[in-house]
Amino acid sequence: MTDTQQAPELAQVGVVGMAVMGSNLARNFARHGYRVAIFNRTPARTDAVIAAHGDEGTFLPAHSIEEFVASIAEPRRIILMVQAGDPTDATIAQLLPLLSPGDVIMDGGNAHFRDTIRRESEIASSGIHFVGCGISGGEYGALTGPSIMPGGTPESYQLLGPMLEDIAAQVDGTEPCCAWMGPNGAGHFVKMIHNGIEYSDMQVIGEAWMLLRAAGLSNAECADVFARWNTGDLDSYLIEITSEVLRQKDPRTGADLVDVIKDRAGMKGTGTWTVTTALELGAPVNGIAEAVFARATSSHDDLRAVAQQTLAGPVAELPLGDREEFVEDVRQALWCSKVIAYSQGFDEIRSGGKAFGWNIRIADAASIWRDGCIIRAKLLERIRAEYDADPGLVSFMCAPSVAPELAEYQGAWRRVVAAAVTAGIGAPAFSATLAYYDLARAPRVNAALTQAQRDFFGSHTYERIDIDGHWHLDWSGDRSESPA
C-alpha cells in the first residue's frame, strides 16, 4: 500500500439476508449515516440492492461470508434477517468460527422465543452475545422506522441498542420505539405477544365491519364510520387502514375490493404460539385464542362447504330502528373488546416475565408499540401511563382510568353481542372478551362444581372457603370428608 492509499473504512453494522425486510433494514441504517456491510447467500440479491439503492448511503457488499465478516469493525454487530428455523441455525454456524468474543449476533426474524433461549445458551460460552430481537412494522417500518424489541445481555444492548434506537420509529420525534426487554428470549417473546394482540385486534375490527354491514351500511359507509372512529379513542393504524381498504375498488371489476377477496385468512404461527404459550403459563387469552380459531375456521373449506348446505340459522341481517345508535353501540363494544385483548396480551407478558425470570417492564413494551408497529394505537399511551404509575398492575382493564369506562360502555357491548347472536352473525372475539370480563368480575364462578366433579371421578381434591388445605370426599362410601 502506498502512502497515498488509505485502508477502506470498516462497516459499523452488518446485515445478512437481502430479502425485502433485510434490505430495507440495511437501507434504514445507511440512511442514518451508518456504514453497512450486506451479504446474501445468493450474490445476485446483494448486487441488486447496491444497483437499486447504493446511492442512499455507504454500503459494503460482500459475496462471501468471510468477506462480509472481515468488512465489519470490532466488536462486530451482525443482524440476521433470514428465514426462521434451520436457515437461522445454519447461518449462525457459518458465522461463529469467524467471530471473536464480544461480537454480537442479532436475530431479527420471527423466531420462537424458545429457539432464542436455546441459541443464546449454546453461544454464550464463546463470549459472543446473541440477541433475539422482535421487529414490527412490516417492510415499510423496516425502512422508515419500526418498533424494535431486543433481548439478550445488558452488555449487548450497550453495543447495539443506540444504533437500534436511531433507526426505530420515534414518538413525537424524541422517544425511540426501542427498549431492552430482558435476557435471552424476552425480545422474541414480547414480539410474539404483539402479534397475538394483532390477531385479536384485527378480528374484532372484522366483526365490527360484519355487524355494520348486517345493519345495512355499504362498504363506503363503513369506511366513513371507521375514518370517524379513527379520530377518537379508537385511533390506530389498523382502524386507519380498515377505512382505506373498505374504500378500495377492485381494479379488474370495479366492485368493492373487499367483496372479491376470498374470505379465508392465513397465519404464519405467532398467533398460535401466543395461545399455546398462554396455555402453558395458565394465562387466559381467550380473545386472542378466538381470533386464531376464527382464522382457522375461515380456512376450513370442507367444513364450511358442508355447513352452508346443512346447518340452519338466521339470515345475518339486523333490522334497526336507529342506525346511528347501533353504530355507536358497535364503537363502544369495539373499544371494550380491544381493551380486553390488550389486557390479556400484557397479562401474558407479565406471566411469561415471571416464569422465565425476565422481569419485563410492561410500561416499556407499551411505550415502544406507540409507533412503528402494526398495533400502534392511541390506547397504548394510556397503557404506558397506567403501568408507569403502577408497575404491579394486575390487569389493564382494572386500571383507574379504564374500569369506569368499561362500566359505562358495557351496556352497548352486551347489546352488540346479543344482536350478533340473535342475527346469527359469528362474533367470537366480541363474545369471548365479554365473557372474560364477566368471569373476572364475578364473585362466584362455576369452578366450584368443576372441583367437586374432579374429586368425584378422580380424587383430585378440592379447597374450601372456610378452612385452608385440600380435601377429599369419600364419594363411593359414607361421604365423609378427609384432608388430602
Side-chain angles (χ1 to χ4, degrees):
M1 181 181 296
T2 66
D3 292 340
T4 58
Q5 291 176 322
Q6 294 182 347
E9 286 191 287
L10 296 175
Q12 295 158 290
V13 63
V15 181
V16 179
M18 288 294 107
V20 176
M21 282 292 291
S23 61
N24 279 6
L25 201 68
R27 292 168 60 197
N28 191 349
F29 276 115
R31 289 180 175 189
H32 281 81
Y34 291 101
R35 296 184 300 278
V36 188
I38 61 173
F39 171 75
N40 195 84
R41 62 179 183 148
T42 305
R45 280 202 167 180
T46 304
D47 296 340
V49 172
I50 296 301
H53 308 292
D55 59 351
E56 295 181 1
T58 303
F59 296 98
L60 281 69
H63 286 175
S64 73
I65 197 77
E66 293 82 5
E67 180 189 359
F68 170 75
V69 172
S71 70
I72 306 170
E74 296 187 29
R76 301 178 184 91
R77 302 161 178 87
I78 295 175
I79 297 174
L80 308 185
M81 299 299 294
V82 300
Q83 187 178 347
D86 291 342
T88 298
D89 284 321
T91 305
I92 293 170
Q94 282 185 298
L95 285 169
L96 285 178
L98 307 173
L99 301 182
S100 306
D103 290 348
V104 181
I105 300 174
M106 183 187 107
D107 175 15
N110 267 336
H112 193 288
F113 73 93
R114 292 187 189 277
D115 285 338
T116 302
I117 293 173
R118 170 183 58 81
R119 289 170 181 143
E120 198 270 347
S121 177
E122 292 171 350
I123 292 171
S125 62
S126 68
I128 296 167
H129 300 285
F130 185 78
V131 173
C133 182
I135 300 175
S136 179
E139 299 169 8
Y140 180 77
L143 180 62
T144 62
S147 174
I148 307 177
M149 298 149 259
T153 62
E155 293 80 10
S156 68
Y157 193 77
Q158 291 174 4
L159 290 169
L160 193 56
M163 301 177 72
L164 297 177
E165 290 177 11
D166 276 352
I167 68 162
Q170 307 286 320
V171 177
D172 298 327
T174 59
E175 298 180 64
C177 292
C178 173
W180 181 64
M181 294 291 100
N184 52 62
H188 275 141
F189 180 84
V190 171
K191 173 57 162 58
M192 177 187 76
I193 305 299
H194 166 283
N195 286 22
I197 295 172
E198 178 186 306
Y199 274 55
S200 188
D201 206 345
M202 294 174 72
Q203 178 64 27
V204 292
I205 289 172
E207 291 176 14
W209 167 62
M210 292 295 286
L211 286 160
L212 295 177
R213 292 287 281 142
L217 278 72
S218 67
N219 285 320
E221 289 172 321
C222 290
D224 291 340
V225 167
F226 280 102
R228 185 169 73 245
W229 287 352
N230 197 48
T231 63
D233 284 345
L234 289 173
D235 178 1
S236 70
Y237 173 71
L238 286 171
I239 294 288
E240 176 187 345
I241 67 169
T242 297
S243 179
E244 286 197 39
V245 167
L246 292 176
R247 291 189 201 284
Q248 181 62 45
K249 296 296 184 181
D250 174 27
R252 293 174 182 266
T253 67
D256 293 344
L257 179 64
V258 73
D259 289 340
V260 301
I261 295 175
K262 191 168 184 178
D263 62 335
R264 63 192 318 271
M267 43 190 171
K268 292 186 176 180
T270 45
T272 303
W273 296 347
T274 301
V275 176
T276 56
T277 304
L279 291 170
E280 295 168 3
L281 294 170
V285 295
N286 65 331
I288 297 172
E290 289 296 345
V292 172
F293 290 135
R295 290 197 190 187
T297 304
S298 78
S299 300
H300 203 332
D301 294 336
D302 53 351
L303 168 67
R304 294 184 64 193
V306 171
Q308 288 169 36
Q309 297 299 318
T310 59
L311 302 182
V315 294
E317 292 180 358
L318 286 168
L320 301 174
D322 189 325
R323 193 168 77 166
E324 281 306 309
E325 191 174 285
F326 180 72
V327 169
E328 175 59 16
D329 274 359
V330 174
R331 184 192 73 82
Q332 293 183 17
L334 178 57
W335 186 86
C336 291
S337 289
K338 277 174 166 279
V339 165
I340 302 304
Y342 280 77
S343 296
Q344 291 180 345
F346 282 105
D347 181 49
E348 185 170 354
I349 291 177
R350 183 172 60 87
S351 299
K354 289 181 178 178
F356 295 102
W358 293 326
N359 194 29
I360 298 169
R361 191 171 182 274
I362 305 298
D364 285 347
S367 181
I368 65 174
W369 290 347
R370 289 178 298 163
D371 203 351
C373 68
I374 304 304
I375 65 169
R376 58 186 182 267
K378 184 177 181 178
L379 183 63
L380 283 157
E381 176 55 36
R382 191 186 296 194
I383 296 173
R384 182 205 61 77
E386 289 290 357
Y387 278 102
D388 257 344
D390 180 9
L393 182 65
V394 172
S395 176
F396 174 63
M397 70 177 179
C398 300
S401 73
V402 178
E405 201 160 347
L406 286 170
E408 178 185 349
Y409 285 177
Q410 67 172 304
W413 197 6
R414 297 180 192 284
R415 287 192 294 272
V416 166
V417 170
V421 172
T422 301
I425 300 168
F430 270 141
S431 303
T433 50
L434 177 58
Y436 175 83
Y437 175 84
D438 282 337
L439 280 170
R441 70 181 187 84
R444 292 278 289 177
V445 296
N446 64 286
L449 177 59
T450 302
Q451 280 207 71
Q453 291 169 328
R454 294 180 73 243
D455 189 56
F456 189 105
F457 64 69
S459 299
H460 293 296
T461 76
Y462 54 85
E463 296 171 279
R464 298 179 57 92
I465 63 173
D466 52 355
I467 307 172
D468 289 338
H470 289 77
W471 304 85
H472 170 64
L473 202 74
D474 184 7
W475 296 97
S476 59
D478 63 3
R479 301 292 173 104
S480 62
E481 184 182 68
S482 59

